[in-house]
Amino acid sequence: MNPDIVKERKAATFDVEKLTHILDGGPEKTKRRREIESLVLSDPDFKGEDPNFLSRSERYDQAVRRSAQMILKMREYGIADPDEIYYYKRMVLGNNPEPAGLHYSMFLPTLYRQCAPEQAKKWIPLAESVQILGTYAQTELGHGTHLRGLETTATYDPSTQQFVLNSPTVSSIKWWPGGLGKTSNHAIVLAQLYTLGNCHGLHAFIVPLRDLDTHQPLPGVVIGDIGPKFGFSEVDNGYLKLDNVRIPRENMLMKYSKVEPDGSYVKPPSDKLTYGTMVFIRSMIVGESARALSKACTIAIRYSTVRHQSEIRPGEPEPQILDYQTQQHKLFPLLATAYAFTFVGQYMRQMYNRIIGDIQQGDFSEMPELHALSAGLKAFTTWTSNSGIEVCRMSCGGHGYSQSSGFPDIYVNFTPTCTYEGENTVMMLQTARYLVKSYRQVKAGQQLRGIVSYLNEAEHRRVQPQSVAARPTVVDINDLSSLVEVYKLRAAILVEMAAKSIQQELQRRKSQEDAWNNSSIDLVRASDAHCHYVVVKLFAEKLTEVGVTAIHSVLSTLALLYALHGISNNSGDFLQAGLLTVPQLHLISVRIKELLSQLRPNAVALTDAFDYHDRKLNSVLGRYDGNVYENMFEWARKSPLNATEVHESFHKYLKPLRSKL
């Protein structure tokens, strides 16, 4: 073990294992997760070549092999619980995705939630046993986030009781679904439903794509891989063109809406139910944001303890770069953010499961809030984590640019979350639509429930931003509950400002659509403030569940740093709203520096609590033992370019060049 990292762990003021239990959701979950991870670690079948030295085709081949092995091993070990499947897959894959990923994350969940009972009996056993391997085909060449604009059609033919699916234009070709290009043999296809001459909007259909024995595309199916991408080299993101592809009537998912044999249409109780899988994925992405950022923080903080650089005092040994305040200022707020997002991810999962349970009982009342909050938090957390990963990489200097650091894989495999399942700006505007609607309900005298209930209180104690600026605001910057209140007021004021912007545009004789577009910058700011308030609020609430004093103390420091750093980065909002004064902002700056110093002894321990095994982290810089340089040298020597002392290009190009000059 590197002595620097040993020293860091000895300096910790809390029990790392107990904090890991909190992050996992309890000691039993930690125990079971580690049991499952150990199955992978001890399995020689999962000790393959480093994918960084493989071609794209080789990476895809290796990934398909691993996917097939995972499926067989999980069946052998009886791993069927969704959490346990996730633990197993995450350990096998490390920082890399898999071609069959959407089968588990979107295809199966859609079947679970949208199949009618008879359909469930047929399709779910086939999918769970991987007799069929599916993907989720929604995005098209010409439309993604704007779902109503999707052009793929499913026209019902009563004479045969079949749907006829078509891609009527080039822009209607399905584009991007993972596993579509070469791996999947079925897809859930979202298409515009036409029956008896009427269009009833988007509905989901189970569409066979390839012959189950030969894997050849079925008649009318044009399918393939879309080519190399920014990342995701292991995944065959694909295209799908449908030409008069016929499927039975029963292949339309009919739990909530249906087409009768004669072609008559039965509409669902809520239009948003069609998008239930997307809401599920958006909710899960919040947790994925936490994991990606926590991995990046673990690598950067561990490396910063073993890397010595420059001088603080002339003539003294080079200090650990984590001793530099600037390095702490880069990394510790991101560490706090990773913890905040972890707890928000836990909340979103619980909220999703609770509301889906209500929906199963016929209660759809909270569906709009779930839709709005999952959209906003998906955008808020992915934007923050995506930029945070890059900060972590740059904080490791030149070595962070090496593939061996782990950062390139983490970044390129996380960054698409900012655009898939909804481009982030559009997601923020969806949340804003809900917030403006809620604001107008309060103005009309209604009492709101749920996460937007703060707008009730804001209306009662509403103060115009112009007049409040002259009044002192009492804020205790050391009290988290006081800061939660400030974030709440900021959100309420920005929601009000956005709603008033729309109203002012309407008074200028603008249409509703133009008024919305001309206010969209304000609307995104309001959504961002709302999501920021939710994260600070949930972090504060999580502290009330922590009974171990030492852990409560360090988490409180993290929560305070997260809240104050957020105010510092958005100081204009708080000043403009009159919630804070310039002297208070100066005090916040001083307090942030104090918090950095307080967290310094616990930095490595806080990353250890995430409990990432080296195989899962897949980073030479972030190794648990801290032995970075020896292993970086050994990693470099494995490069295929080092297979021979003299590369063939010397004899082909460089040596002849000398004779011609």
Side-chain angles (χ1 to χ4, degrees):
M1 295 284 287
N2 183 292
D4 284 326
I5 213 158
V6 171
K7 180 187 72 173
E8 296 292 332
R9 292 190 172 111
K10 287 181 178 178
T13 63
F14 65 93
D15 187 326
V16 171
E17 182 75 1
K18 289 180 179 177
L19 181 51
T20 299
H21 295 163
I22 292 171
L23 295 172
D24 280 335
E28 289 304 314
K29 288 196 173 182
T30 298
K31 179 183 176 185
R32 183 56 180 155
R33 173 179 59 77
R34 288 174 176 168
E35 288 173 353
I36 290 170
E37 290 176 354
S38 69
L39 293 175
V40 178
L41 292 169
S42 61
D43 194 329
D45 287 340
F46 294 125
K47 294 178 181 176
E49 285 186 85
D50 188 330
N52 293 307
F53 297 135
L54 302 177
S55 69
R56 181 168 180 240
S57 182
E58 289 169 334
R59 288 181 78 149
Y60 172 71
D61 184 272
Q62 183 189 77
V64 173
R65 176 180 61 80
R66 289 194 170 202
S67 290
Q69 288 173 327
M70 279 195 300
I71 291 165
L72 293 173
K73 302 274 185 180
M74 288 190 292
R75 188 175 301 169
E76 177 187 341
Y77 298 134
I79 296 173
D81 176 80
D83 283 346
E84 297 189 354
I85 290 173
Y86 185 73
Y87 296 152
Y88 193 87
K89 284 161 59 86
R90 199 166 66 186
M91 192 68 227
V92 171
L93 299 172
N95 296 327
N96 298 310
E98 60 156 336
L102 287 196
H103 177 80
Y104 292 98
S105 65
M106 297 195 79
F107 187 76
L108 261 171
T110 304
L111 296 180
Y112 290 143
R113 291 170 179 85
Q114 295 194 38
C115 276
E118 287 303 313
Q119 292 176 312
K121 289 178 185 177
K122 174 183 177 180
W123 292 107
I124 290 176
L126 290 172
E128 287 182 335
S129 63
V130 203
Q131 296 301 306
I132 62 172
L133 194 61
T135 186
Y136 190 85
Q138 174 180 292
T139 299
E140 298 173 356
L141 257 176
H143 288 93
T145 307
H146 180 53
L147 298 181
R148 290 193 300 277
L150 296 179
E151 300 174 79
T152 303
T153 60
T155 305
Y156 184 64
D157 179 359
S159 66
T160 59
Q161 294 195 22
Q162 293 176 321
F163 289 100
V164 185
L165 282 90
N166 275 289
S167 306
T169 63
V170 171
S171 57
S172 70
I173 296 171
K174 294 295 182 184
W175 200 270
W176 278 114
L180 176 63
K182 296 294 175 184
T183 308
S184 301
N185 51 41
H186 280 68
I188 288 171
V189 175
L190 263 69
Q192 302 288 352
L193 167 63
Y194 286 86
T195 180
L196 301 180
N198 296 311
C199 180
H200 297 284
L202 281 185
H203 287 72
F205 301 85
I206 302 172
V207 182
L209 304 175
R210 295 177 178 271
D211 184 279
L212 294 182
D213 293 320
T214 67
H215 208 56
Q216 288 291 328
L218 294 172
V221 173
V222 179
I223 193 169
D225 176 76
I226 66 170
K229 307 167 293 288
F230 190 49
F232 270 58
S233 296
E234 298 82 358
V235 179
D236 53 323
N237 296 83
Y239 60 77
L240 172 64
K241 186 176 185 298
L242 301 168
D243 184 13
N244 290 320
V245 173
R246 288 181 171 266
I247 60 173
R249 181 182 69 90
E250 293 78 15
N251 281 32
M252 172 183 163
L253 295 180
M254 296 196 193
K255 182 171 185 177
Y256 298 111
S257 59
K258 66 168 62 176
V259 172
E260 301 287 6
D262 65 359
S264 56
Y265 175 70
V266 180
K267 69 178 185 178
S270 169
D271 292 338
K272 289 186 172 59
L273 290 169
T274 306
Y275 314 133
T277 303
M278 283 192 306
V279 174
F280 166 71
I281 294 297
R282 289 169 188 165
S283 299
M284 295 302 102
I285 286 173
V286 176
E288 290 302 317
S289 298
R291 275 179 280 277
L293 183 57
S294 62
K295 285 180 180 179
C297 287
T298 299
I299 295 168
I301 287 173
R302 285 179 179 173
Y303 177 70
S304 295
T305 64
V306 301
R307 178 75 170 183
H308 292 251
Q309 190 82 28
S310 303
E311 296 178 337
I312 292 179
R313 300 176 186 86
E316 292 190 4
E318 292 182 297
Q320 298 162 283
I321 59 174
L322 199 60
D323 286 338
Y324 288 98
Q325 189 182 72
T326 50
Q327 189 79 343
Q328 296 169 16
H329 192 247
K330 291 174 190 174
L331 297 178
F332 292 176
L334 291 175
L335 179 62
T337 302
Y339 270 86
F341 288 178
T342 298
F343 300 138
V344 175
Q346 292 174 354
Y347 171 86
M348 284 302 298
R349 184 165 186 171
Q350 293 163 2
M351 179 185 182
Y352 177 84
N353 290 334
R354 174 177 60 78
I355 293 176
I356 289 299
D358 292 342
I359 289 172
Q360 303 288 350
Q361 303 299 317
D363 179 3
F364 302 95
S365 60
E366 292 190 79
M367 186 71 178
E369 179 172 314
L370 175 62
H371 183 271
L373 188 59
S374 64
L377 285 176
K378 179 263 182 187
F380 183 82
T381 58
T382 56
W383 265 334
T384 303
S385 294
N386 195 55
S387 61
I389 293 165
E390 180 66 353
V391 170
C392 288
R393 181 191 70 80
M394 289 191 291
S395 74
C396 292
H399 291 332
Y401 191 65
S402 169
Q403 199 79 31
S404 69
S405 71
F407 287 120
D409 280 338
I410 294 173
Y411 183 81
V412 300
N413 292 324
F414 179 76
T415 195
T417 61
C418 294
T419 48
Y420 66 58
E421 300 319 308
E423 191 277 329
N424 276 356
T425 301
V426 179
M427 292 297 93
M428 281 297 198
L429 289 171
Q430 286 186 12
T431 302
R433 195 171 296 278
Y434 180 74
L435 292 172
V436 170
K437 180 180 178 181
S438 299
Y439 170 79
R440 288 171 176 168
Q441 288 173 334
V442 169
K443 293 289 287 182
Q446 295 183 41
Q447 285 290 305
L448 303 178
R449 294 188 306 160
I451 207 75
V452 291
S453 60
Y454 68 89
L455 294 174
N456 297 325
E457 181 185 348
E459 174 62 18
H460 290 310
R461 51 185 293 184
R462 184 170 59 90
V463 183
Q464 295 291 343
Q466 296 90 336
S467 62
V468 80
R471 298 170 46 180
T473 305
V474 179
V475 180
D476 184 351
I477 64 171
N478 294 301
D479 178 44
L480 198 55
S481 61
S482 180
L483 296 176
V484 171
E485 186 70 16
V486 172
Y487 271 91
K488 177 202 295 184
L489 291 173
R490 172 204 179 206
I493 289 169
L494 288 181
V495 170
E496 180 178 36
M497 288 172 65
K500 285 186 172 180
S501 174
I502 294 172
Q503 191 59 39
Q504 289 165 0
E505 290 291 323
L506 291 172
Q507 289 170 356
R508 297 188 186 109
R509 300 180 182 274
K510 301 284 187 180
S511 67
Q512 284 281 354
E513 295 78 13
D514 286 341
W516 181 267
N517 185 47
N518 292 345
S519 305
S520 56
I521 295 173
D522 299 319
L523 290 163
V524 170
R525 282 181 65 204
S527 288
D528 184 83
H530 169 75
C531 293
H532 211 159
Y533 157 65
V534 170
V535 175
V536 173
K537 175 177 181 288
L538 293 176
F539 203 160
E541 289 177 355
K542 186 67 181 182
L543 293 177
T544 64
E545 303 173 16
V546 179
V548 182
T549 302
I551 294 176
H552 187 279
S553 175
V554 73
L555 287 182
S556 295
T557 304
L558 281 173
L560 197 58
L561 176 61
Y562 178 78
L564 293 178
H565 190 260
I567 291 174
S568 179
N569 281 354
N570 298 277
S571 57
D573 285 351
F574 293 93
L575 285 172
Q576 183 182 6
L579 299 171
L580 291 170
T581 62
V582 172
Q584 286 173 319
L585 287 175
H586 175 70
L587 292 175
I588 286 172
S589 179
V590 172
R591 185 68 177 117
I592 286 173
K593 294 174 185 177
E594 294 171 353
L595 294 171
L596 298 177
S597 179
Q598 288 176 29
L599 284 170
R600 173 65 184 86
N602 284 312
V604 168
L606 284 165
T607 63
D608 286 349
F610 294 124
D611 202 28
Y612 289 124
H613 190 278
D614 280 350
R615 277 268 297 276
K616 192 190 302 184
L617 205 57
N618 197 25
S619 168
V620 173
L621 298 191
R623 292 174 57 92
Y624 185 83
D625 63 13
N627 294 324
V628 171
Y629 302 132
E630 309 94 307
N631 287 282
M632 181 172 272
F633 181 54
E634 288 303 313
W635 184 89
R637 295 182 69 184
K638 295 174 186 175
S639 170
L641 282 177
N642 295 324
T644 59
E645 287 297 331
V646 179
H647 193 265
E648 60 181 353
S649 62
F650 172 78
H651 300 287
K652 290 164 64 177
Y653 309 117
L654 298 181
K655 190 174 183 180
L657 181 65
R658 293 174 59 194
S659 64
K660 295 177 182 179
L661 294 177

